Amino acid sequence: MSDHCSLGWAPATVGELDHRVLKAPSVKLRGAYAGASGDTVYCIDLRLRHPNANEYLSSTEAHSIEHFLLEGFQRLLPRHFVGIGVMGCQTGFYLTFLNEGRRALIEDALESILHGVLEATAVPFARIDQCGRWQNHDLGRAQAVARGVLARRAAWAEVA
Ligand SMILES: [Zn+2]
């Protein structure tokens, strides 16, 4: 956990923070965990909505954005992307990477994915054979979320 600065993360923003001060949209390193053989797992919080501000992602918005992030990070960082989880509070997503924790690189990939959302003609992996609730998607709503997050691109590093 000693090289957070070189990876681009402000040390004061790493770890669990008081949710009353969290800003959004923001990208935050929650933790870096080194294994015995030298690999490192990076857990990153992608916060798209302010906590407890009554501006939650709908289940449909979170679901469709989740699919875009899954497809995009798999495509752009195939050797590093491990997985994504929806925050139960519907304010963002948990991202996990193996041996890739550079803020700029992850943010650039996110930016590319969100631009792709705006260009998309369908939500990825949204067929009945690919998704557990395939009718719960809305491309237009996902595009509105992506547009709003991209509009604040310069502030993604402002975590709190
Ligand atoms: Zn799904």
Side-chain angles (χ1 to χ4, degrees), residues 1-17 28-35 38-44 101:
M1 302 271 289
S2 59
D3 59 345
H4 295 151
C5 286
S6 65
L7 296 173
W9 309 98
T13 68
V14 176
E16 292 292 341
L17 299 185
K28 172 184 181 303
L29 179 65
R30 184 157 37 82
Y33 308 94
D39 294 306
T40 303
V41 172
Y42 295 91
C43 295
I44 289 170

Side-chain angles (χ1 to χ4, degrees), residues 63 67 131-132 137:
H63 188 192
H67 277 224
C131 175
H137 287 289

